[in-house]
Amino acid sequence: NYVLEGEFTILDEVASGGSADFYFYLQEGENNPRNFSGYSFSVSRYAGGYWAALKWVNGAYISYWYSQATPFPINLGENYSIRVEVNGTRTSMYLNDVFLGEFTDTLYSEGRIGLATGQGHIHFDNIKVTSLFSDSDNDTIDDSIDNCPYDYNPDQADVDQDGAGNACDLLN
């Protein structure tokens, strides 16, 4: 679980519009690193400005969850902020702090992060990744999936299978 955020400016473009592309959960292709798999969130000036969330397998996108107009035009030379929140299987996307949408998928759960440009000169700045991992009881299990998030229980035992771990059952 993490947040990928940064800024971009489209400085110039070719006829079809420049794009800023943020890739996450990247997997390299076996024999060719360009045959990557993973997900991307792209913002482009094409057709006045659009954004898309794509799933890639072996260098080709196989599906997308969104491909629609941005809530405002993407202009040359203007600075835009982008944020991708990955929390379990849910990914949420924001542009200039405006929520654009989210998708849920389980194909990839680990991998690298990358940046790319599509047909134009793009400047990226202030790129950072922040962990969303939260572990209130220090048992190395993220609170979002811990069956007893405030009591140390690294084994996650749940003898009575009530969804609350044994450590919580003992307290009640």
Side-chain angles (χ1 to χ4, degrees), residues 29 32 34 40 44 50 54 62-63 65-66 81 86 94 103 108 113-114 120 122-123 145-146 150 157 166:
N32 181 349
R34 296 186 64 85
S40 70
S44 174
Y50 81 92
L54 305 167
I62 62 168
S63 62
W65 287 272
Y66 296 98
S81 66
V86 180
Y94 300 82
F103 66 87
Y108 307 112
I113 294 171
I122 314 298
H123 176 78
I145 59 171
D146 194 328
Y150 301 106
N166 292 351

Side-chain angles (χ1 to χ4, degrees), residues 144-164:
S144 67
I145 59 171
D146 194 328
N147 64 10
C148 191
Y150 301 106
D151 293 295
Y152 183 81
N153 63 332
D155 63 0
Q156 297 292 287
D158 183 14
V159 173
D160 61 6
Q161 297 183 349
D162 65 354

Side-chain angles (χ1 to χ4, degrees), residues 49-125:
Y50 81 92
W51 62 278
L54 305 167
K55 183 194 304 185
W56 297 84
V57 175
N58 296 324
Y61 75 88
I62 62 168
S63 62
Y64 61 86
W65 287 272
Y66 296 98
S67 183
Q68 59 192 34
T70 61
F72 40 81
I74 303 297
N75 297 313
L76 282 178
E78 286 189 26
N79 194 46
Y80 297 91
S81 66
I82 194 167
R83 187 171 76 242
V84 178
E85 296 179 358
V86 180
N87 195 349
T89 60
R90 188 183 78 240
T91 299
S92 304
M93 294 144 303
Y94 300 82
L95 182 61
N96 283 2
D97 293 323
V98 173
F99 175 74
L100 298 177
E102 65 184 22
F103 66 87
T104 301
D105 194 64
T106 59
L107 186 58
Y108 307 112
S109 60
E110 62 181 37
R112 296 172 315 187
I113 294 171
L115 305 172
T117 64
Q119 301 184 357
H121 181 214
I122 314 298
H123 176 78
F124 292 101
D125 202 7

